[in-house]
Structure formats: C-alpha cells, structure tokens
Amino acid sequence: DVDFSAHIKNKAPAIDTQLKLTTKLTLDKELTVFNLRDVVLTVVLRANEFIKQDEELKIKSSIDVLMDKQLITIKGLQLTALGIKARAEIQVSQLLKTPLIQGEVDVQPFNARDVAKRAGIELPEMAKDDALQKVSMQAKIKMQGEKLEANNFSLLLDESVFSGWVHMRDLSEQQLRYVLAADHFNIDHYLPPVTKDAVSDKAVVASAGEENPVTANVAAVAASADEKIELPIEMMRKLDIQGDLRITSLLIKAQEVKRFAMSVRAQKGEIVIYPLLMQVLEGTVASKVTLNVQNKIPAYTVNMEAKQLHLGPVVNPILKEAMEDEPISIKGAANLLMDIKASGETVKQLKQSSLGQIVLDMKDTEVNHFDPEHYMRKAVADYVQSKGLNLSKAIISEYRAKQRTVFDVIHGTVDLAKGKATTNDFIMRSPQVQVTAEGQVDILQNTLDMMS
C-alpha cells in the first residue's frame, strides 16, 4: 500500500496546493513489471488570483508498466475537474525512444458556462440564454513528439454534433489540419443578443455636439469609421492552418443556409477562405475571401458569384422600415457578381481604398404596391399645382395606381474607386415604363448624387 501527501505553496503568484495519492503497488524482483491498482490522486488547488473558489482535481485509474516492452497501460482513467468528467483508456509505448501515446478519450457532457465561470473566464453574452450548456467530446488520440492526432473526433455543442478529425502536425509551430462536418448548426444562438437601439436622438446630439440629429448621426458614424480595426496581426502571421468545414443546414440571421462548405488555408500571413459555398435564399453563392497581413497594412479581397437569389426576405423588411406607410415589397431572383479589393486599418481607410466592381442582374421582378406611372403623374400634378395651374385633376384623371409592376430587366454596374460607388447604366424596364439612373454614392460621407 502506498499513501503519499504533500502541501505545496508558491508566493508569486499565490498558489496553495494540497496533494494526496493512494494506490496498491505490486512489482517483480527484476523491477521490470509494476502494477498500480486503485490509483487515486487528489489535488486541491487554491489560486484566488485566477480562480475565485478552491478547486479539486481527482484522477482515478489502474496502471501497468512493462519495462522490457517499454509499455505503460492506463486503464479506466477517470478525471474530474471544474465540473468536467472525462474517461480514457491510454497506452504509452516506446518509452526509451520518442514515447507514443494512444488511446480513447470521452469527455462527458458539461455546462461550458459554469466551467468558464469556475475557471475565472467570463464568456460573452449570447442570444440564447442556455447556449453552451451541453458540451462533450470524444476522440481517438495519437501523440508522438510534436505531433497530435484526434481521429474519430466528435464534438457536441448543445444540439449540434461536429465530427471528423483534427491533427496538429507540429505543436510548437501550431500546424493545424482538420476536416469537420455537421448536420445542422444554429449560429444565431451564439451571436450577441439583438437589442433595440436605446440611444435617443438627444443622446446622439449630445455626444456629437450638434443640434441637428441627422448631422449628429453622420458625425457619429464618421467618428466610429475612423477607429482602428484591431486584428491579432502577429498571431495571424504565425498561423499554419488547412481545414474543411461542411454543414448541411446552417441558420444565420434567421435565414437557412444549406450545404454550407468552407475551406480555410492560412500560411505566412495570408488567410484564404476558398471555396466558400452555400445555398441560400433559393439560390447559390460561391465566394473567395482573402486577408493578407504580411505587410504593415492589412489587405482584403472578396470575389463572389451569386445566382438566383430571392432577395425578398432580406430586402422587404428594409423597404418596410424605409417606406413606412407604403408597403412596397419585391419578388424575384437576382444574379450578383462582386470583385473588390481594399486595404486599411480602419473602416474609413477600407472605404477609401475599395477598388472593384459589383454587377446586379434581375429578370421578371415583381414590385408590389409600386406604380412608376402613378408616381410620375403625381409628381407632374404637384408641380403644376404649385405654379398655380389648376390642372392636377386632368393629369391624374381617373388613373388608378396598379398594385404591382413587373420589370423585365433590372440591371446595374457599380464601380468602386476613391471612396465612391459610381453607376452609369442602372435601368429598371417594364412594358409600361423605363427608369434609368446614373450618379454616385460617396461612401465616405454617406451622401447620394444620382440623376434619373
């Protein structure tokens, strides 16, 4: 019988540790075979600078050591710490060379929020109150030297399971490789809660030092746009990642994304997401996104091709808010091409440096509660009425506004350069009317200069 205990104190940082080990040891006379039965190791840790309360770590197992075969077998390993319970079966071979560690690990479901709280970590608030309350992990592990593999990997996040494999080719160089897949995942649950803007116009005015709320709001937006985008540049330059992620059904911003696929490559300061594929809004999206931090100023590129996106579910809520009493809505599919480059350390610099083109094409687009002819008649009638000519009734006559207008073609090309978005070919064409427009949006000043 073996019974060992110790009391260890450390001054800076202040850590007080109580150790207790009990086991039954059997060994042969040649000292080549060791059997440790009913091993129980208890560690009581007091480190109030890091952890608010005293924590206990407990390990239970039985261990067999065969020196002639350079083999250690750890059976029925049970580990309990911070409210986490894990089980494992581990074998260590090649003891006198580079030890090879293999086995199966099963981390039983735990509440990640409670664990983080006990560890002195404050997790951000999430939209779903009970997010991360059920987390578990299983894997077959293999470790030798700087190489770690987790095969048959399975990670449970509440109601979603990610499975596949995760390999660290070199722990010191953080060379990460992975292939993971999930059947479904609701990312909305893990995003910050959606709250109504509690800032009143008066508060915006006070903070911006303006009397006009609109002017104050523009000033506030301009100020925030000039704030630096904080990126962990040094860490990103050291990344060495190659990984593929597939999710059959992904929910984001209340929109279902099907067949989501993302491949990430990060090496020598260049992070490339390609391909980035998804089926959303009844259409398809294929993208390539690059972030390059090799130089002092981060550089971004975005290439996207979207086909047959039904924009109504996204655009209609915006139209409803913008048009207020006029319930305008659209129904139709859009094709979108985007090729944009930008660089900068602030939002303002990104806007200033944006260079590229966006092309929009829509056919057979139905706009409900919108009749261009009615708007034109009303505009002319209002104008002549303002000049004292009593002709408004004659212009409007008995015309009744149509409940919908179908546009054969909606097309526009937007060129980005020098902080401006310019179009010279915007057109909305229907059998009754054709609307064209050209001009530009100053994306730095948030101003519009268009002529139709």
Side-chain angles (χ1 to χ4, degrees):
D1 291 335
V2 178
D3 193 336
F4 169 80
S5 62
H7 185 189
I8 305 171
K9 286 187 176 182
N10 190 74
K11 289 186 178 180
I15 300 176
D16 191 307
T17 306
Q18 296 276 0
L19 296 177
K20 183 173 178 60
L21 171 68
T22 60
T23 185
K24 292 182 179 180
L25 172 64
T26 304
L27 60 153
D28 66 350
K29 61 182 180 180
E30 290 83 14
L31 300 180
T32 59
V33 177
F34 298 83
N35 302 119
L36 293 94
R37 294 289 177 263
D38 302 324
V39 177
V40 179
L41 172 63
T42 304
V43 180
V44 178
L45 179 68
R46 177 178 295 172
N48 299 137
E49 291 184 28
F50 312 103
I51 304 174
K52 294 181 180 180
Q53 63 188 47
D54 294 356
E55 290 291 346
E56 180 182 274
L57 179 149
K58 181 169 285 189
I59 297 174
K60 295 181 179 180
S61 181
S62 290
I63 303 172
D64 294 326
V65 181
L66 303 176
M67 295 302 297
D68 55 344
K69 295 184 178 181
Q70 300 183 42
L71 182 66
I72 299 176
T73 303
I74 304 174
K75 301 176 181 178
L77 176 63
Q78 300 178 43
L79 184 148
T80 305
L82 295 170
I84 299 175
K85 294 181 179 180
R87 298 177 180 273
E89 299 287 336
I90 304 293
Q91 188 176 81
V92 184
S93 57
Q94 303 179 28
L95 297 179
L96 302 181
K97 300 178 181 178
T98 303
L100 172 61
I101 303 171
Q102 300 180 87
E104 296 184 6
V105 177
D106 181 2
V107 180
Q108 298 177 24
F110 63 91
N111 188 324
R113 289 196 166 276
D114 288 347
V115 171
K117 185 177 181 180
R118 289 173 65 169
I121 300 171
E122 184 175 352
L123 293 178
E125 191 176 0
M126 297 178 183
K128 190 178 180 185
D129 292 337
D130 59 353
L132 296 179
Q133 286 200 359
K134 190 176 181 182
V135 180
S136 67
M137 188 272 290
Q138 295 82 37
K140 286 187 176 181
I141 64 168
K142 182 179 179 181
M143 181 176 180
Q144 188 169 32
E146 295 292 332
K147 187 175 182 179
L148 172 63
E149 296 181 0
N151 297 306
N152 292 358
F153 179 82
S154 178
L155 173 66
L156 171 69
L157 288 178
D158 298 316
E159 300 175 352
S160 301
V161 178
F162 292 83
S163 57
W165 55 264
V166 180
H167 293 175
M168 290 292 292
R169 288 188 173 182
D170 191 319
L171 291 171
S172 61
E173 297 295 330
Q174 301 179 34
Q175 293 180 345
L176 176 64
R177 305 291 183 265
Y178 65 87
V179 172
L180 294 172
D183 182 57
H184 64 275
F185 184 62
N186 189 338
I187 197 172
D188 288 347
H189 291 168
Y190 306 92
L191 296 176
V194 178
T195 57
K196 293 182 179 179
D197 187 6
V199 182
S200 65
D201 285 343
K202 291 182 180 180
V204 173
V205 171
S207 63
E210 301 283 348
E211 295 181 358
N212 187 332
V214 175
T215 306
N217 189 49
V218 171
V221 171
S224 63
D226 209 28
E227 293 181 1
K228 186 173 181 179
I229 301 172
E230 298 294 341
L231 295 175
I233 299 294
E234 291 305 317
M235 182 272 288
M236 295 170 75
R237 287 172 178 167
K238 296 177 182 178
L239 290 177
D240 187 344
I241 298 175
Q242 292 184 23
D244 298 324
L245 174 65
R246 304 285 185 272
I247 302 175
T248 304
S249 177
L250 174 67
L251 199 66
I252 179 169
K253 298 296 182 183
Q255 294 295 329
E256 185 182 18
V257 176
K258 296 180 179 179
R259 298 186 181 279
F260 176 86
M262 180 176 70
S263 294
V264 177
R265 305 289 183 269
Q267 287 182 327
K268 298 179 180 179
E270 184 178 51
I271 302 170
V272 180
I273 302 175
Y274 176 77
L276 177 58
L277 307 172
M278 65 188 77
Q279 294 179 2
V280 63
L281 298 173
E282 301 181 45
T284 61
V285 177
S287 305
K288 179 179 180 180
V289 180
T290 302
L291 170 58
N292 193 317
V293 293
Q294 293 172 338
N295 300 317
K296 182 179 179 181
I297 305 299
Y300 305 77
T301 63
V302 179
N303 302 99
M304 183 182 74
E305 181 179 10
K307 296 180 179 179
Q308 296 298 298
L309 295 186
H310 288 256
L311 299 178
V314 175
V315 175
N316 291 341
I318 300 173
L319 291 175
K320 183 178 180 180
E321 184 176 347
M323 304 302 290
E324 295 180 350
D325 297 332
E326 300 184 35
I328 293 177
S329 62
I330 70 168
K331 182 180 180 181
N335 294 327
L336 189 67
L337 288 174
M338 182 184 298
D339 184 4
I340 299 174
K341 296 180 179 179
S343 60
E345 296 180 297
T346 66
V347 174
K348 183 177 181 180
Q349 290 175 3
L350 291 178
K351 290 181 177 181
Q352 177 69 48
S353 64
S354 291
L355 185 65
Q357 191 176 77
I358 303 172
V359 181
L360 170 69
D361 275 302
M362 300 181 71
K363 294 181 179 180
D364 300 325
T365 304
E366 183 179 301
V367 184
N368 295 303
H369 302 286
F370 176 68
D371 183 356
E373 184 177 349
H374 171 72
Y375 281 106
M376 287 186 290
R377 283 175 179 262
K378 188 175 185 303
V380 173
D382 291 344
Y383 175 76
V384 298
Q385 189 71 17
S386 69
K387 297 300 182 182
L389 302 175
N390 192 20
L391 298 174
S392 60
K393 290 185 178 181
I395 296 171
I396 296 293
S397 66
E398 299 299 322
Y399 185 83
R400 294 291 179 268
K402 297 182 178 67
Q403 289 299 306
R404 67 178 187 136
T405 301
V406 178
F407 291 94
D408 299 332
V409 173
I410 299 178
H411 171 83
T413 303
V414 178
D415 293 304
L416 296 174
K418 298 180 180 179
K420 294 180 173 60
T422 305
T423 182
N424 296 312
D425 65 349
F426 182 80
I427 183 171
M428 298 174 67
R429 187 178 67 210
S430 76
Q432 294 82 24
V433 67
Q434 178 171 295
V435 179
T436 61
E438 62 180 43
Q440 63 184 16
V441 175
D442 190 322
I443 57 179
L444 289 173
Q445 301 299 325
N446 295 320
T447 58
L448 175 69
D449 183 10
M450 298 288 289
M451 179 175 64
S452 61

